[in-house]
Amino acid sequence: MPVLHWIRRNLIVIAGLLTLAYMILPNIVVMVFSFNKPNGRFNYEWQRFSLGAWKDPCGVADLCGSLSLSLQIAFWATLGATALGTMVAFALVRYRFRARGAISSLIFLPMAMPEVVMAASLLTLFLNMGAQLGFWTVLIAHIMFCLSFVVTAVKARVMSMDPKLEEAARDLYAGPVQTFVRVTLPIAAPGIAAGAMLAFALSFDDFIITNFNAGSTVTFPMFVWGSAQRGTPVQINVIGTAMFIIAVMVVLVGQVIASRRKNNAQS
């Protein structure tokens, strides 16, 4: 039958589209319910269309404060994890030293370890050091678990780099700094950018590790969890929708820039 033949020929595409729809469906639900006006405290059933939450996204007490705090922590955690992770990735790929293999294996431990175990371990560490739980303990914890993801992303990019390009730059009398800035860094930039974006998303979204080490500090995921016990403000859906749209726009802009660079290189 023609229909069965068409399904067999496009089975991979159909499976991919169904998987994508399955992944995007929760975001669509969040987006739709950001325009809802519930009768009670819980925004779980559609009642009627309203733009009230979009007009006043900070209408719920402490919501925008927790959002601002999460953005600050995510920004500094991304900066720290990207800087350290990039240096570690270059060291693991470009240099030979003792325990290199062991260190490379240990990098993956935070990715494989359950978050609750890491959260309890970090809490024990901070308490034994006498550190006061708050902004700085959360920031240190986020840098520590984001570091592994950055190293993995940058390491994959550095391993694919052709060392002959850097050798050619040195043959043309470029110094070490000039070679790194003009040749090495631009080639490694996609991996560094991918690691930074992943670190930002993981840091902003984290709840378990943050909850253990935050003390009285309340980030946006903790605010959402606390609100779900008493009621779910529509403004939470507004913030979630805005973050989703921003993330999609960043990816699309990156794809357009990459496509233009590829076309320019081919021409």
Side-chain angles (χ1 to χ4, degrees), residues 42-238:
F42 295 95
N43 186 27
Y44 298 150
E45 294 182 5
W46 180 264
Q47 301 295 333
R48 55 192 180 277
F49 181 85
S50 174
L51 292 173
W54 281 94
K55 292 178 180 177
D56 188 17
C58 296
V60 180
D62 298 328
L63 188 150
C64 283
S66 64
L67 175 63
S68 174
L69 183 61
S70 283
L71 291 173
Q72 291 178 49
I73 292 173
F75 173 78
W76 291 111
T78 300
L79 202 62
T82 303
L84 293 173
T86 300
M87 290 188 287
V88 171
F90 271 94
L92 291 174
V93 175
R94 295 295 181 83
Y95 299 95
R96 299 290 182 270
F97 52 88
R98 287 185 178 180
R100 175 173 170 267
I103 293 174
S104 183
S105 299
L106 287 173
I107 289 293
F108 291 95
L109 276 182
M111 300 171 63
M113 187 182 300
E115 275 197 68
V116 67
V117 176
M118 181 179 291
S121 301
L122 286 168
L123 176 60
T124 304
L125 173 65
F126 290 137
L127 291 178
N128 287 330
M129 292 176 60
Q132 178 151 8
L133 300 180
F135 177 89
W136 292 107
T137 54
V138 173
L139 178 59
I140 292 170
H142 282 210
I143 291 175
M144 290 181 70
F145 77 78
C146 288
L147 186 62
S148 298
F149 295 91
V150 175
V151 171
T152 302
V154 178
K155 185 180 175 183
R157 181 65 179 180
V158 175
M159 290 178 67
S160 66
M161 291 171 56
D162 187 357
K164 293 180 180 179
L165 297 174
E166 294 168 295
E167 293 175 4
R170 288 191 290 268
D171 290 341
L172 295 172
Y173 304 103
V177 176
Q178 193 175 13
T179 301
F180 179 79
V181 174
R182 296 288 186 89
V183 179
T184 308
L185 190 58
I187 297 175
I192 297 173
M197 292 176 64
L198 185 59
F200 185 90
L202 290 169
S203 175
F204 181 84
D205 185 59
D206 183 76
F207 172 77
I208 298 176
I209 294 176
T210 304
N211 191 39
F212 270 73
N213 299 281
S216 59
T217 302
V218 179
T219 60
F220 183 69
M222 293 176 65
F223 177 87
V224 174
W225 179 82
S227 297
Q229 313 304 311
R230 305 180 301 273
T232 311
V234 183
Q235 283 82 353
I236 290 177
N237 295 64
V238 172

Side-chain angles (χ1 to χ4, degrees), residues 237-248:
N237 295 64
V238 172
I239 299 298
T241 301
M243 295 297 294
F244 174 72
I245 293 173
I246 292 171
V248 171

